[in-house]
Amino acid sequence: MVVHSGIGNRMTLKFGNFQIREFQQNDVEALIKYANNYAVSKFMRDAFPYPYTRENAVQWIDYIKKNDLTLSLAIANEMELIGGIGAIPYDDVHRYSAEVGFWLGEPFWNRGIISKALKTFCNYLFTNHNFNRLTANVFEGNEASRRVLEKTGFVLEGTQRKSVFKENKFVDHYIYGLLKEDFKI
Ligand SMILES: CC(C)(COP(=O)(O)OP(=O)(O)OC[C@H]1O[C@@H](n2cnc3c(N)ncnc32)[C@H](O)[C@@H]1OP(=O)(O)O)[C@@H](O)C(=O)NCCC(=O)NCCS
C-alpha cells in the first residue's frame, strides 16, 4: 500500500490493482452506472437516492469540489470509478472522531475489494490525520457491511433501535467503532 502525495493536496491510496483517489469531473458516467442501483442505495442514506440520476452525479462531484471535502473519495480500478469511500470528521468534543462510509458497484461485490479499501483508508486516516476513533453506522439487514467492518477491527458498540426510517419503515441502526490503538493493518 503506497500513499502518493501529488500536486496540491491530491493523494492516491493504492491497494492491489485498485486505488482510492479524488473524484474527477469525468467520473460522472461511471458514477451513474454503478450508483444507480437499488441494491446499493437501499443501505445508504437518502442523500444517495434511487434512481441515481445524472443530475445527482454532477451535483455530488460539484459539492465535493466546492466544499473541498478531501476525505470524500472515489474507489477506482484501472479503468474507471467503481465505488466510493469517505470520512466526515465530527466537531467540538468529538473532533478526534470521524464517521466512515463506503459503497461499491454491484458487479464487484464479494471479491474482498471493500475490505481492502477500508483497511487502506483507516490506515491513512489514523496515520495522516489526528483521529483517535472512527465510527460507522449500519442499517439493520446489511450483513455484508457488518462483516466488512468486523474484519477491519470495528466493534459493535450499540444499537439505536428503530432509528432509521427507510422505505416507509423503521429499522435499527448499528453503531460500530474502531480505536486507533486497536487498529492493525
Ligand atoms: C457493503 C459492501 C460495500 C461490501 O463490499 P464488498 O467489496 O462486496 O465487501 P467484501 O467482499 O470485502 O466483504 C464482504 C463480506 O461480507 C460477506 N457477505 C456478503 N453478503 C453477505 C450476507 N448476505 N450475509 C453475511 N455475509 C455476507 C462476504 O462473504 C464477505 O465476507 P468474507 O470475506 O468473510 O467472505 C457492498 O455490498 C455495497 O456496496 N453494499 C451497498 C452499499 C452499502 O451497504 N454500503 C455500506 C453502508 S454502511
Side-chain angles (χ1 to χ4, degrees), residues 124-142:
Y124 166 75
L125 293 173
F126 285 137
T127 306
N128 295 66
H129 294 265
N130 210 7
F131 297 123
N132 176 53
R133 104 173 235 129
L134 299 172
T135 298
N137 296 309
V138 182
F139 302 171
E140 183 180 346
N142 194 350

Side-chain angles (χ1 to χ4, degrees), residues 43 102 104 109-112 114-115 142-143 145 147 151:
F43 288 127
F102 44 81
L104 189 69
W109 287 4
N110 292 317
R111 298 191 208 165
I114 286 291
S115 298
N142 194 350
E143 298 308 321
S145 182
R147 178 81 188 118
K151 283 200 296 179

Side-chain angles (χ1 to χ4, degrees), residues 6 27 29 36 38 48 77 84 87 92 122 141 145 149 164 176:
D27 284 330
E29 297 305 326
N36 186 28
Y38 170 74
F48 192 112
N77 63 16
D92 204 288
C122 291
S145 182
L149 290 166
V164 171
Y176 280 86

Side-chain angles (χ1 to χ4, degrees), residues 81-104:
L81 170 149
I82 59 167
I85 192 162
I88 300 172
Y90 292 128
D91 60 10
D92 204 288
V93 294
H94 297 293
R95 64 189 175 277
Y96 290 101
S97 299
E99 179 178 335
V100 295
F102 44 81
W103 67 272
L104 189 69

Side-chain angles (χ1 to χ4, degrees), residues 41-111:
S41 65
K42 73 174 183 173
F43 288 127
M44 304 289 283
R45 291 186 175 151
D46 290 344
F48 192 112
Y50 181 76
Y52 193 102
T53 62
R54 175 172 302 276
E55 193 184 359
N56 295 134
V58 170
Q59 278 177 357
W60 171 243
I61 293 173
D62 282 353
Y63 174 76
I64 288 169
K65 300 290 172 203
K66 279 193 188 122
N67 293 284
D68 200 22
L69 300 180
T70 53
L71 296 180
S72 291
L73 298 160
I75 300 171
N77 63 16
E78 286 155 335
M79 286 154 42
E80 60 182 359
L81 170 149
I82 59 167
I85 192 162
I88 300 172
Y90 292 128
D91 60 10
D92 204 288
V93 294
H94 297 293
R95 64 189 175 277
Y96 290 101
S97 299
E99 179 178 335
V100 295
F102 44 81
W103 67 272
L104 189 69
E106 192 173 5
F108 305 96
W109 287 4
N110 292 317
R111 298 191 208 165

